[in-house]
Amino acid sequence: MNPGKILLVEDNPDDVALTLRALKSHNITNEVIVAQDGVEAIDYLFGAKEQRAPTELPAVVLLDLKLPKINGMEVLQRIRSEERTTLLPVVILTSSDEERDVIDGYKLGANSYVRKPVDFVEFTKAAQQLGLYWLLMNRAAPSPRGP
């Protein structure tokens, strides 16, 4: 399994707890970094005044769309605008089923769009499948080389 971290960008504490529980219940033990809004996600990926950007990018970003401060589409746009993160796998994991969100997400470069199931059992199955695919089956793009 890919030992990389998972960046979970989610503002709802219940959805964070549910996602963590679902991953753990299926033996997906990768470290999960939680960003509670778009600003925290961008600060984690690119660095901020009080923190430096991580030397190693996460294996995958699970991105909610409806976030405080900076919404998920803006976070995705920023991820795709930087050479270092342009190939970073981003899965939109949201309750939105609006066609416009699906279209915009893919236009901005999302690798996948998954609607959060409401039912706990379905949600844990979805989290397991996401974890297994993105951490075990998917071959990540090589990291861009520095200058």
Side-chain angles (χ1 to χ4, degrees):
M1 186 171 286
N2 184 333
K5 297 176 184 176
I6 299 168
L7 175 59
L8 174 61
V9 188
E10 174 60 66
D11 64 316
N12 182 326
D14 293 334
D15 285 351
V16 170
L18 195 59
T19 303
L20 295 174
R21 186 171 154 195
L23 292 170
K24 186 177 181 182
S25 73
H26 293 289
N27 297 318
I28 298 168
T29 58
N30 297 59
E31 181 181 352
V32 179
I33 306 299
V34 178
Q36 296 177 357
D37 59 52
V39 171
E40 281 186 25
I42 288 171
D43 286 351
Y44 174 77
L45 290 169
F46 302 104
K49 293 175 189 161
E50 56 278 349
Q51 72 182 34
R52 295 177 54 187
T55 53
E56 202 170 301
L57 291 172
V60 63
V61 176
L62 303 179
L63 179 63
D64 189 20
L65 292 182
K66 299 187 185 338
L67 297 167
K69 299 183 183 177
I70 297 177
N71 71 43
M73 291 296 184
E74 292 174 271
V75 172
L76 178 57
Q77 192 169 25
R78 174 71 193 276
I79 289 170
R80 293 298 180 242
S81 73
E82 300 281 334
E83 182 179 355
R84 181 171 178 263
T85 55
T86 193
L87 299 177
L88 177 63
V90 177
V91 176
I92 294 174
L93 182 60
T94 185
S95 57
S96 173
D97 200 22
E98 294 179 33
E99 189 172 317
R100 179 86 257 150
D101 286 341
V102 177
I103 291 168
D104 290 347
Y106 280 118
K107 277 186 174 179
L108 290 173
N111 296 90
S112 185
Y113 190 104
V114 177
R115 186 168 185 273
K116 291 180 198 171
V118 177
D119 176 76
F120 173 73
V121 174
E122 288 180 31
F123 188 89
T124 59
K125 286 180 186 175
Q128 174 198 26
Q129 291 168 348
L130 283 171
L132 290 175
Y133 178 79
W134 289 104
L135 300 171
L136 184 63
M137 297 176 68
N138 183 59
R139 180 169 181 231
S143 298
R145 298 175 196 259

